[in-house]
Amino acid sequence: EHYPPFDSLKEDNKKLYFDVIDAIKSGLINSPEGVHDFWSDYARNNIPNHPCIVDYEMLSEYEKDKDRLSLALIKSLVR
């Protein structure tokens, strides 16, 4: 899967990343489900037809792994 360079993202996408980092750092998000729920709230308003706007349990293992990895990576960087 290809992800564009951070500098090329729209400002609202950049804000999403910083907001999720802040939420994890503050303890507001402390599970992969929380990461997904946080993203889903954003996606419902910005990309309403995205196929991953479902309950966490309905995600493929690949998508769940991305949420697990995101949480672990951010936690390791903000300590």
Side-chain angles (χ1 to χ4, degrees):
E1 197 168 333
H2 171 74
Y3 293 97
F6 186 79
D7 290 344
S8 70
L9 296 176
K10 296 178 185 176
E11 289 305 312
D12 64 323
N13 291 93
K14 290 179 184 179
K15 182 177 179 339
L16 171 66
Y17 285 106
F18 288 120
D19 287 350
V20 78
I21 290 167
D22 288 342
I24 291 170
K25 187 175 181 180
S26 71
L28 182 64
I29 294 175
N30 56 16
S31 69
E33 293 90 340
V35 172
H36 177 70
D37 290 346
F38 194 92
W39 173 85
S40 292
D41 288 344
Y42 166 84
R44 279 186 193 93
N45 294 318
N46 295 282
I47 40 177
N49 296 322
H50 196 286
C52 290
I53 303 175
V54 296
D55 289 338
Y56 182 79
E57 298 78 29
M58 302 294 292
L59 291 174
S60 68
E61 282 304 310
Y62 175 75
E63 295 298 329
K64 289 178 183 178
D65 284 344
K66 291 192 323 187
D67 291 330
R68 291 179 194 118
L69 180 60
S70 295
L71 179 65
L73 181 61
I74 293 168
K75 279 185 167 183
S76 73
L77 295 173
V78 297
R79 291 183 182 186

Coordinates of all heavy atoms in Angstrom, one line a residue:
E1 N 0.9 -1.2 0.0 CA 0.0 0.0 0.0 C 0.9 1.2 0.0 O 1.9 1.3 0.7 CB -0.9 0.0 1.2 CG -2.0 0.9 1.2 CD -3.0 0.6 2.3 OE1 -3.1 -0.6 2.8 OE2 -3.7 1.5 2.7
H2 N 0.5 2.2 -0.8 CA 1.3 3.4 -0.9 C 0.7 4.6 -0.1 O -0.5 4.8 -0.2 CB 1.4 3.8 -2.4 CG 2.0 5.2 -2.6 ND1 3.4 5.4 -2.5 CD2 1.5 6.3 -2.9 CE1 3.7 6.6 -2.7 NE2 2.5 7.3 -3.0
Y3 N 1.6 5.2 0.6 CA 1.1 6.4 1.3 C 1.9 7.6 0.8 O 3.1 7.6 0.7 CB 1.4 6.2 2.8 CG 0.5 5.2 3.4 CD1 0.9 3.9 3.6 CD2 -0.8 5.4 3.8 CE1 0.1 2.9 4.1 CE2 -1.7 4.5 4.3 CZ -1.2 3.2 4.5 OH -2.0 2.2 5.0
P4 N 1.2 8.7 0.5 CA 1.9 9.9 0.0 C 2.8 10.5 1.1 O 2.5 10.4 2.3 CB 0.8 10.8 -0.4 CG -0.4 10.4 0.5 CD -0.2 8.9 0.7
P5 N 3.8 11.3 0.7 CA 4.6 12.0 1.7 C 3.8 12.9 2.6 O 2.8 13.5 2.1 CB 5.6 12.8 0.9 CG 5.6 12.1 -0.5 CD 4.2 11.5 -0.6
F6 N 4.1 13.1 3.8 CA 3.4 13.9 4.8 C 3.2 15.3 4.2 O 2.1 15.9 4.3 CB 4.0 13.9 6.1 CG 3.2 14.6 7.2 CD1 2.2 13.9 7.8 CD2 3.6 15.9 7.6 CE1 1.4 14.6 8.8 CE2 2.8 16.5 8.5 CZ 1.7 15.9 9.1
D7 N 4.3 15.9 3.7 CA 4.2 17.2 3.2 C 3.2 17.5 2.1 O 2.7 18.6 1.9 CB 5.6 17.7 2.7 CG 6.5 17.9 3.9 OD1 6.1 18.0 5.0 OD2 7.8 18.0 3.6
S8 N 2.8 16.4 1.4 CA 1.8 16.5 0.3 C 0.4 16.4 0.7 O -0.5 16.6 -0.1 CB 2.2 15.5 -0.8 OG 1.8 14.2 -0.4
L9 N 0.2 16.0 2.0 CA -1.2 15.9 2.5 C -1.9 17.2 2.7 O -1.3 18.2 2.9 CB -1.2 15.2 3.9 CG -0.6 13.7 3.9 CD1 -0.6 13.2 5.3 CD2 -1.5 12.8 3.0
K10 N -3.2 17.2 2.6 CA -4.1 18.3 2.9 C -3.9 18.7 4.3 O -3.7 17.8 5.2 CB -5.5 18.1 2.5 CG -5.8 17.8 1.1 CD -7.2 17.5 0.8 CE -7.5 17.2 -0.6 NZ -8.9 16.8 -0.8
E11 N -4.2 19.9 4.7 CA -4.1 20.3 6.1 C -5.0 19.6 7.0 O -4.6 19.3 8.2 CB -4.3 21.8 6.2 CG -3.2 22.7 5.6 CD -1.8 22.4 6.2 OE1 -1.7 22.3 7.4 OE2 -0.9 22.2 5.4
D12 N -6.2 19.2 6.6 CA -7.1 18.5 7.5 C -6.6 17.1 7.8 O -6.7 16.5 8.8 CB -8.5 18.5 7.0 CG -8.7 17.8 5.7 OD1 -7.8 17.9 4.8 OD2 -9.8 17.1 5.6
N13 N -5.9 16.5 6.8 CA -5.3 15.2 7.0 C -4.1 15.2 7.9 O -3.9 14.4 8.8 CB -4.8 14.5 5.7 CG -5.9 14.2 4.8 OD1 -6.3 15.0 3.9 ND2 -6.4 13.0 4.9
K14 N -3.3 16.3 7.8 CA -2.2 16.5 8.7 C -2.7 16.7 10.1 O -2.2 16.1 11.1 CB -1.3 17.7 8.3 CG -0.5 17.5 7.1 CD 0.2 18.8 6.7 CE 0.9 18.6 5.4 NZ 1.7 19.9 5.1
K15 N -3.8 17.4 10.3 CA -4.4 17.7 11.6 C -4.8 16.4 12.2 O -4.7 16.1 13.4 CB -5.5 18.7 11.5 CG -6.1 19.0 12.9 CD -7.2 20.0 12.7 CE -7.9 20.4 14.0 NZ -7.9 19.5 15.1
L16 N -5.4 15.5 11.4 CA -5.9 14.2 11.9 C -4.7 13.4 12.5 O -4.8 12.9 13.6 CB -6.5 13.4 10.8 CG -6.8 11.9 11.1 CD1 -7.9 11.8 12.2 CD2 -7.2 11.1 9.8
Y17 N -3.6 13.4 11.8 CA -2.4 12.7 12.4 C -1.9 13.3 13.7 O -1.7 12.6 14.7 CB -1.2 12.7 11.4 CG -1.4 11.7 10.3 CD1 -1.8 12.2 9.0 CD2 -1.3 10.4 10.5 CE1 -2.0 11.3 7.9 CE2 -1.5 9.4 9.4 CZ -1.8 9.9 8.2 OH -2.0 9.0 7.2
F18 N -1.8 14.6 13.8 CA -1.4 15.3 15.0 C -2.4 15.1 16.1 O -2.1 14.8 17.3 CB -1.2 16.8 14.8 CG 0.1 17.0 14.0 CD1 0.1 17.7 12.8 CD2 1.3 16.6 14.5 CE1 1.2 17.9 12.1 CE2 2.5 16.8 13.8 CZ 2.4 17.5 12.6
D19 N -3.7 15.1 15.8 CA -4.8 14.9 16.8 C -4.7 13.5 17.4 O -4.9 13.3 18.6 CB -6.1 15.2 16.2 CG -6.4 16.6 16.0 OD1 -5.6 17.5 16.5 OD2 -7.4 17.0 15.3
V20 N -4.5 12.5 16.5 CA -4.4 11.1 17.0 C -3.2 10.9 17.9 O -3.2 10.2 18.9 CB -4.6 10.0 15.9 CG1 -3.3 9.9 15.1 CG2 -5.0 8.7 16.5
I21 N -2.1 11.5 17.5 CA -0.9 11.5 18.3 C -1.2 12.1 19.7 O -0.8 11.5 20.7 CB 0.3 12.2 17.6 CG1 0.7 11.3 16.4 CG2 1.4 12.4 18.6 CD1 1.7 12.0 15.5
D22 N -1.8 13.2 19.7 CA -2.1 13.9 21.0 C -3.1 13.0 21.8 O -2.9 12.9 23.0 CB -2.7 15.3 20.7 CG -1.7 16.3 20.3 OD1 -0.5 16.1 20.4 OD2 -2.2 17.3 19.7
A23 N -4.0 12.4 21.2 CA -5.0 11.6 21.9 C -4.4 10.3 22.5 O -4.7 9.9 23.6 CB -6.2 11.2 21.0
I24 N -3.4 9.8 21.8 CA -2.7 8.6 22.3 C -1.8 9.1 23.4 O -1.7 8.4 24.5 CB -1.9 7.9 21.2 CG1 -2.9 7.2 20.3 CG2 -0.9 6.9 21.8 CD1 -2.3 6.7 19.0
K25 N -1.1 10.1 23.2 CA -0.1 10.7 24.2 C -0.8 11.0 25.5 O -0.3 10.7 26.6 CB 0.6 11.9 23.7 CG 1.7 12.4 24.6 CD 2.4 13.6 23.9 CE 3.5 14.1 24.7 NZ 4.2 15.2 24.1
S26 N -2.0 11.5 25.4 CA -2.8 11.9 26.6 C -3.5 10.8 27.3 O -4.1 10.9 28.4 CB -3.8 13.0 26.3 OG -4.8 12.5 25.5
G27 N -3.6 9.6 26.6 CA -4.3 8.5 27.2 C -5.7 8.4 26.7 O -6.4 7.4 27.1
L28 N -6.2 9.3 26.0 CA -7.6 9.3 25.5 C -7.8 8.1 24.6 O -8.9 7.4 24.6 CB -7.9 10.6 24.7 CG -9.3 10.7 24.2 CD1 -10.3 10.8 25.3 CD2 -9.4 12.0 23.3
I29 N -6.8 7.7 23.8 CA -6.8 6.5 23.0 C -5.8 5.6 23.6 O -4.6 5.9 23.7 CB -6.5 6.8 21.5 CG1 -7.5 7.7 20.9 CG2 -6.3 5.5 20.7 CD1 -7.2 8.1 19.4
N30 N -6.2 4.3 23.9 CA -5.3 3.4 24.4 C -5.5 1.9 23.9 O -5.0 1.0 24.5 CB -5.3 3.4 25.9 CG -6.7 3.1 26.5 OD1 -7.5 2.6 25.8 ND2 -6.9 3.4 27.7
S31 N -6.2 1.8 22.7 CA -6.4 0.5 22.1 C -6.5 0.7 20.6 O -6.8 1.8 20.1 CB -7.7 -0.1 22.6 OG -8.8 0.7 22.1
P32 N -6.2 -0.4 19.9 CA -6.4 -0.3 18.4 C -7.8 0.1 18.0 O -8.0 0.8 17.0 CB -6.0 -1.7 17.9 CG -5.2 -2.3 19.0 CD -5.7 -1.7 20.3
E33 N -8.8 -0.4 18.8 CA -10.2 0.0 18.5 C -10.4 1.5 18.7 O -11.1 2.1 17.9 CB -11.1 -0.7 19.5 CG -11.2 -2.2 19.3 CD -10.1 -3.0 20.2 OE1 -9.1 -2.4 20.6 OE2 -10.3 -4.2 20.4
G34 N -9.7 2.1 19.6 CA -9.8 3.5 19.8 C -9.2 4.3 18.6 O -9.7 5.3 18.2
V35 N -8.1 3.8 18.1 CA -7.5 4.4 16.9 C -8.4 4.3 15.7 O -8.7 5.3 15.1 CB -6.1 3.6 16.5 CG1 -5.6 4.1 15.2 CG2 -5.1 3.8 17.6
H36 N -9.1 3.2 15.6 CA -10.0 3.0 14.5 C -11.2 3.9 14.7 O -11.7 4.6 13.7 CB -10.5 1.6 14.3 CG -11.5 1.4 13.3 ND1 -11.2 1.5 11.9 CD2 -12.9 1.1 13.4 CE1 -12.4 1.3 11.3 NE2 -13.4 1.1 12.1
D37 N -11.8 4.0 15.9 CA -12.9 4.8 16.1 C -12.6 6.3 15.9 O -13.4 7.0 15.3 CB -13.4 4.7 17.6 CG -14.0 3.3 17.8 OD1 -14.4 2.6 16.8 OD2 -14.2 2.9 19.0
F38 N -11.4 6.7 16.3 CA -11.0 8.1 16.1 C -10.9 8.4 14.6 O -11.4 9.4 14.1 CB -9.6 8.3 16.7 CG -9.2 9.7 16.9 CD1 -9.4 10.4 18.0 CD2 -8.5 10.4 15.9 CE1 -9.0 11.7 18.2 CE2 -8.1 11.7 16.0 CZ -8.4 12.4 17.2
W39 N -10.3 7.5 13.8 CA -10.2 7.7 12.4 C -11.6 7.6 11.8 O -11.9 8.4 10.9 CB -9.3 6.6 11.8 CG -9.4 6.6 10.3 CD1 -8.6 7.4 9.5 CD2 -10.3 5.9 9.4 NE1 -9.0 7.2 8.2 CE2 -10.0 6.3 8.1 CE3 -11.3 5.0 9.6 CZ2 -10.7 5.8 7.0 CZ3 -11.9 4.5 8.6 CH2 -11.6 4.9 7.3
S40 N -12.5 6.7 12.2 CA -13.8 6.6 11.6 C -14.6 7.9 11.8 O -15.4 8.3 10.9 CB -14.6 5.4 12.3 OG -14.0 4.2 11.9
D41 N -14.5 8.5 13.0 CA -15.2 9.8 13.2 C -14.8 10.8 12.1 O -15.6 11.6 11.6 CB -14.9 10.3 14.6 CG -15.6 9.5 15.6 OD1 -16.6 8.7 15.3 OD2 -15.3 9.7 16.8
Y42 N -13.5 10.9 11.9 CA -13.0 11.8 10.8 C -13.5 11.4 9.5 O -13.9 12.2 8.7 CB -11.4 11.8 10.9 CG -10.8 12.4 9.6 CD1 -10.6 13.8 9.6 CD2 -10.4 11.7 8.5 CE1 -10.1 14.4 8.5 CE2 -9.9 12.2 7.4 CZ -9.7 13.6 7.4 OH -9.1 14.2 6.3
A43 N -13.4 10.1 9.2 CA -13.7 9.6 7.8 C -15.2 9.8 7.5 O -15.5 10.1 6.4 CB -13.3 8.1 7.7
R44 N -16.1 9.7 8.5 CA -17.5 9.8 8.2 C -17.8 11.2 7.7 O -18.7 11.4 6.9 CB -18.3 9.6 9.5 CG -18.5 8.2 9.8 CD -19.5 8.0 11.0 NE -19.4 6.6 11.5 CZ -18.6 6.2 12.4 NH1 -17.8 7.0 13.0 NH2 -18.6 4.9 12.7
N45 N -17.0 12.2 8.1 CA -17.2 13.6 7.6 C -16.5 13.9 6.4 O -16.8 14.9 5.6 CB -16.9 14.6 8.7 CG -17.8 14.5 9.9 OD1 -19.0 14.4 9.7 ND2 -17.2 14.5 11.1
N46 N -15.4 13.2 6.1 CA -14.5 13.6 5.0 C -14.4 12.6 3.9 O -14.2 13.0 2.7 CB -13.1 13.8 5.6 CG -13.1 15.0 6.5 OD1 -13.1 16.1 6.1 ND2 -13.1 14.8 7.8
I47 N -14.6 11.3 4.1 CA -14.6 10.3 3.1 C -15.7 9.3 3.4 O -15.4 8.2 3.7 CB -13.2 9.6 2.9 CG1 -12.6 9.4 4.3 CG2 -12.3 10.4 2.0 CD1 -11.2 8.7 4.3
P48 N -17.0 9.8 3.4 CA -18.1 9.0 3.9 C -18.3 7.6 3.2 O -18.9 6.7 3.8 CB -19.3 9.9 3.7 CG -18.9 10.9 2.6 CD -17.4 11.0 2.8
N49 N -17.8 7.4 2.0 CA -18.0 6.1 1.3 C -16.8 5.2 1.5 O -16.7 4.1 0.8 CB -18.2 6.4 -0.2 CG -19.5 7.1 -0.4 OD1 -20.5 6.9 0.3 ND2 -19.5 8.0 -1.3
H50 N -15.9 5.5 2.4 CA -14.7 4.6 2.6 C -15.2 3.3 3.2 O -16.0 3.2 4.1 CB -13.8 5.3 3.6 CG -12.4 4.7 3.6 ND1 -12.1 3.4 4.1 CD2 -11.2 5.1 3.0 CE1 -10.9 3.1 4.0 NE2 -10.3 4.2 3.3
P51 N -14.7 2.2 2.6 CA -15.1 0.8 3.0 C -14.7 0.4 4.4 O -15.3 -0.5 4.9 CB -14.4 -0.1 2.0 CG -13.3 0.7 1.4 CD -13.7 2.1 1.5
C52 N -13.8 1.2 5.0 CA -13.4 0.8 6.4 C -14.2 1.5 7.5 O -13.9 1.4 8.7 CB -11.9 1.1 6.6 SG -10.9 -0.1 5.6
I53 N -15.2 2.2 7.1 CA -16.1 2.9 8.1 C -17.1 1.8 8.6 O -18.2 1.8 8.1 CB -16.8 4.1 7.6 CG1 -15.7 5.1 7.1 CG2 -17.6 4.7 8.7 CD1 -16.4 6.4 6.4
V54 N -16.6 0.9 9.4 CA -17.4 -0.2 10.0 C -16.9 -0.3 11.4 O -15.9 0.2 11.8 CB -17.2 -1.5 9.2 CG1 -17.7 -1.4 7.8 CG2 -15.7 -1.9 9.2
D55 N -17.6 -1.1 12.2 CA -17.2 -1.4 13.5 C -15.8 -2.2 13.5 O -15.6 -2.9 12.5 CB -18.2 -2.4 14.3 CG -19.5 -1.6 14.6 OD1 -19.4 -0.4 14.7 OD2 -20.5 -2.3 14.8
Y56 N -15.0 -1.9 14.5 CA -13.7 -2.5 14.5 C -13.7 -4.0 14.2 O -12.9 -4.6 13.5 CB -13.0 -2.2 15.8 CG -11.6 -2.7 15.9 CD1 -10.5 -2.0 15.3 CD2 -11.3 -3.9 16.6 CE1 -9.2 -2.5 15.4 CE2 -10.0 -4.4 16.7 CZ -9.0 -3.7 16.1 OH -7.7 -4.1 16.2
E57 N -14.7 -4.7 14.8 CA -14.8 -6.2 14.7 C -15.0 -6.6 13.3 O -14.7 -7.8 12.9 CB -15.9 -6.7 15.6 CG -15.7 -6.5 17.0 CD -16.1 -5.1 17.5 OE1 -17.0 -4.4 16.8 OE2 -15.5 -4.6 18.4
M58 N -15.5 -5.7 12.4 CA -15.8 -6.1 11.0 C -14.6 -5.9 10.1 O -14.6 -6.3 8.9 CB -17.0 -5.2 10.5 CG -18.2 -5.4 11.3 SD -18.9 -7.0 11.2 CE -19.4 -7.0 9.4
L59 N -13.5 -5.3 10.6 CA -12.3 -5.0 9.8 C -11.6 -6.3 9.5 O -11.6 -7.3 10.3 CB -11.4 -4.1 10.5 CG -11.8 -2.6 10.7 CD1 -10.8 -1.9 11.6 CD2 -12.0 -1.9 9.4
S60 N -10.9 -6.3 8.4 CA -10.0 -7.5 8.1 C -8.8 -7.4 9.0 O -8.5 -6.4 9.7 CB -9.5 -7.3 6.6 OG -8.6 -6.2 6.5
E61 N -8.2 -8.5 9.2 CA -7.0 -8.6 10.1 C -5.9 -7.6 9.6 O -5.2 -7.0 10.4 CB -6.4 -10.0 10.2 CG -7.3 -10.9 11.1 CD -7.4 -10.4 12.5 OE1 -6.4 -10.0 13.1 OE2 -8.6 -10.3 13.0
Y62 N -5.8 -7.4 8.3 CA -4.8 -6.5 7.7 C -5.1 -5.1 8.3 O -4.2 -4.4 8.7 CB -4.9 -6.5 6.2 CG -4.0 -5.5 5.6 CD1 -2.6 -5.6 5.5 CD2 -4.6 -4.3 5.0 CE1 -1.8 -4.7 4.9 CE2 -3.8 -3.4 4.4 CZ -2.4 -3.6 4.4 OH -1.6 -2.6 3.8
E63 N -6.4 -4.7 8.2 CA -6.8 -3.3 8.7 C -6.6 -3.2 10.2 O -6.1 -2.2 10.7 CB -8.2 -3.0 8.3 CG -8.4 -2.8 6.8 CD -7.6 -1.7 6.2 OE1 -7.3 -0.7 6.8 OE2 -7.3 -1.9 5.0
K64 N -6.9 -4.3 10.9 CA -6.7 -4.3 12.4 C -5.2 -4.2 12.7 O -4.8 -3.5 13.6 CB -7.3 -5.5 13.0 CG -8.8 -5.6 13.0 CD -9.2 -6.9 13.7 CE -10.8 -7.0 13.6 NZ -11.2 -8.3 14.2
D65 N -4.4 -4.9 11.9 CA -2.9 -4.8 12.1 C -2.4 -3.4 11.9 O -1.5 -2.9 12.6 CB -2.2 -5.7 11.2 CG -2.3 -7.2 11.6 OD1 -2.6 -7.5 12.7 OD2 -2.0 -8.1 10.7
K66 N -3.0 -2.6 11.0 CA -2.6 -1.2 10.8 C -2.9 -0.4 12.0 O -2.1 0.4 12.4 CB -3.2 -0.6 9.5 CG -2.7 -1.3 8.2 CD -3.0 -0.5 7.0 CE -4.4 0.1 6.8 NZ -4.7 0.6 5.5
D67 N -4.0 -0.6 12.6 CA -4.4 0.1 13.8 C -3.5 -0.3 15.0 O -3.0 0.6 15.7 CB -5.9 -0.1 14.2 CG -6.8 0.5 13.2 OD1 -6.5 1.5 12.6 OD2 -7.9 0.0 13.0
R68 N -3.2 -1.6 15.1 CA -2.3 -2.0 16.2 C -0.9 -1.4 16.0 O -0.3 -1.0 16.9 CB -2.2 -3.6 16.1 CG -3.4 -4.3 16.6 CD -3.2 -5.8 16.5 NE -4.5 -6.5 16.6 CZ -5.0 -7.2 15.6 NH1 -4.4 -7.5 14.5 NH2 -6.2 -7.8 15.8
L69 N -0.4 -1.4 14.8 CA 0.9 -0.9 14.5 C 1.0 0.6 14.7 O 1.9 1.1 15.3 CB 1.3 -1.2 13.0 CG 2.7 -0.7 12.6 CD1 3.8 -1.3 13.4 CD2 2.9 -1.0 11.1
S70 N -0.1 1.3 14.3 CA -0.1 2.8 14.5 C 0.0 3.1 16.0 O 0.7 3.9 16.4 CB -1.4 3.4 13.9 OG -1.4 3.2 12.5
L71 N -0.8 2.4 16.8 CA -0.9 2.6 18.2 C 0.5 2.3 18.8 O 1.0 3.2 19.6 CB -1.9 1.8 18.9 CG -2.1 1.9 20.4 CD1 -2.5 3.3 20.8 CD2 -3.0 0.8 20.9
A72 N 1.1 1.2 18.5 CA 2.4 0.8 19.1 C 3.5 1.8 18.7 O 4.3 2.2 19.5 CB 2.7 -0.6 18.7
L73 N 3.5 2.2 17.4 CA 4.5 3.1 16.9 C 4.4 4.4 17.6 O 5.4 5.0 18.1 CB 4.4 3.2 15.4 CG 5.4 4.1 14.7 CD1 6.8 3.6 14.9 CD2 5.1 4.2 13.2
I74 N 3.2 5.0 17.7 CA 3.0 6.3 18.3 C 3.4 6.2 19.8 O 4.1 7.1 20.3 CB 1.6 6.8 18.0 CG1 1.4 7.1 16.5 CG2 1.3 8.1 18.9 CD1 0.0 7.4 16.2
K75 N 2.9 5.2 20.5 CA 3.3 5.1 21.9 C 4.8 5.0 22.1 O 5.3 5.6 23.0 CB 2.6 3.8 22.5 CG 1.2 4.0 22.9 CD 0.7 2.7 23.6 CE -0.6 3.0 24.2 NZ -1.1 1.8 24.9
S76 N 5.5 4.3 21.2 CA 7.0 4.2 21.4 C 7.6 5.5 21.1 O 8.7 5.8 21.7 CB 7.5 3.1 20.5 OG 7.5 3.5 19.1
L77 N 7.1 6.4 20.3 CA 7.7 7.7 20.0 C 7.4 8.8 20.9 O 8.1 9.8 21.0 CB 7.3 8.1 18.6 CG 7.8 7.2 17.4 CD1 7.2 7.6 16.1 CD2 9.3 7.2 17.4
V78 N 6.3 8.7 21.7 CA 5.9 9.8 22.5 C 6.2 9.6 24.0 O 5.8 10.4 24.8 CB 4.4 10.2 22.3 CG1 4.1 10.6 20.9 CG2 3.5 9.0 22.7
R79 N 6.9 8.6 24.3 CA 7.2 8.3 25.7 C 8.1 9.4 26.3 O 8.9 10.0 25.7 CB 7.9 7.0 25.9 CG 7.0 5.9 25.6 CD 7.7 4.6 25.8 NE 6.7 3.6 25.5 CZ 6.9 2.3 25.7 NH1 8.1 1.9 26.1 NH2 6.0 1.4 25.4

